[in-house]
Structure formats: C-alpha cells, structure tokens
Amino acid sequence: MIQEYEDHLKKLRQLYIDGTLSQRIAIVRQRVMNPNCGPNQLCNTLGALEAIARAILLDLKINEGQTKVEAYKKIKLSNATKLIEGICAAKGISPTDVFGQDWELIQYAEKYRNLLTHEGTFLREGYSSQLIEACNRAINTIEQEWINP
C-alpha cells in the first residue's frame, strides 16, 4: 500500500507538471467551490493534527523551563511529523509505537497535503478517505495519551 502512495504522489506531480495553466486553475477553482471535498478535508484534518501536536509540544517545552516565546520560536515552523516526533520523544516512545501503521499514513497525509496546498491539485476520494481516517485516529490517540490520559 505504501508503494502505491509513493507512486501516486509521483503521478500527481507529473500530471501537475504536464497540465496547462487553464487546467491547473480549473482544479484550484473546483477545490474552492467545493470546500467539503476530500482534498480540502485532508488539508484541514492534517492541519488540526499539526495544531494539536504543536500545542502539546509548546506546553512540554514551557514545562521544561523554556519561556513561551523561546519555545514557540523553536516549533512554529515545524511540520506535523516533526511535532508528533517531538511529543513522542518527550515520552520516550516512537510514533510507530503510538500510532502503529497509521504513522506511515500520517507521513503520506503530510506529503499529499503539501502537494494539494502548494500545487492546488486534486485527489480522488479513496486516497483522501484513508488518509483522513488515519489523521482522525491519530487525533483521538493523542487526546487519550496526552490530553486526557
């Protein structure tokens, strides 16, 4: 399955490169006109996961004695996977230990989110659904492990 994601990402990037300006803009307009479509939901769900991980890591760094400003400066530009790795490291565990197979899906969700956001491309529903579900499970796990243990 993971190789399928890798191959699909390459294919989407190539379609973007090969597309005409009007084709690229048409896809962007489709996404804007359909805020609840899978690609937008994936971007939002991964963004929520990233925000939750950032909030937890910020608190952890403050509790270690860093000022709020120092702590925030260190993590403000970190992506979701780096933030999740940070909160897991604070517990002495790996993301794979916490999220199992979803950890790989989360990493692909981030790659897709970057492609979807920066290239304004589209993603068929099957891929979106699997990645969104993995991110939602991760949010639930983080809530259980870090917020309401």
Side-chain angles (χ1 to χ4, degrees):
M1 183 61 150
I2 297 305
Q3 187 58 47
E4 182 181 334
Y5 282 113
E6 199 63 44
D7 294 343
H8 187 247
L9 276 166
K10 287 178 187 173
K11 182 180 176 183
L12 281 179
R13 285 190 195 286
Q14 194 60 51
L15 286 171
Y16 175 79
I17 291 166
D18 292 341
T20 65
L21 176 60
S22 61
Q23 288 171 323
R24 290 185 208 116
I25 291 172
I27 291 170
V28 171
R29 287 180 185 268
Q30 266 187 329
R31 294 243 333 257
V32 170
M33 298 305 294
N34 296 291
N36 294 322
C37 68
N40 291 341
Q41 288 180 351
L42 176 59
C43 292
N44 290 338
T45 306
L46 184 70
L49 176 57
E50 184 174 307
I52 291 166
R54 181 174 285 107
I56 292 168
L57 192 56
L58 180 64
D59 253 25
L60 291 170
K61 292 192 173 295
I62 292 167
N63 291 338
E64 291 172 354
Q66 295 181 26
T67 68
K68 291 177 181 180
V69 172
E70 289 172 331
Y72 182 68
K73 280 184 181 179
K74 290 180 181 177
I75 64 171
K76 71 179 182 179
L77 299 177
S78 297
N79 62 28
T81 54
K82 290 293 179 199
L83 295 164
I84 292 169
E85 288 168 348
I87 65 173
C88 289
K91 277 193 166 196
I93 52 180
S94 76
T96 304
D97 292 337
V98 177
F99 304 107
Q101 292 180 334
D102 280 345
W103 177 238
E104 282 187 305
L105 293 176
I106 292 163
Q107 292 172 306
Y108 276 99
E110 187 168 73
K111 290 178 183 182
Y112 276 104
R113 189 267 314 262
N114 293 342
L115 178 68
L116 293 166
T117 299
H118 301 295
E119 277 79 9
T121 190
F122 214 79
L123 182 61
R124 114 182 119 98
E125 196 60 40
Y127 287 97
S128 298
S129 301
Q130 293 170 342
L131 299 171
I132 291 166
E133 289 168 11
C135 289
N136 279 323
R137 285 190 298 270
I139 289 170
N140 292 335
T141 299
I142 288 174
E143 187 174 353
Q144 293 168 2
E145 293 286 326
W146 280 272
I147 301 170
N148 299 316

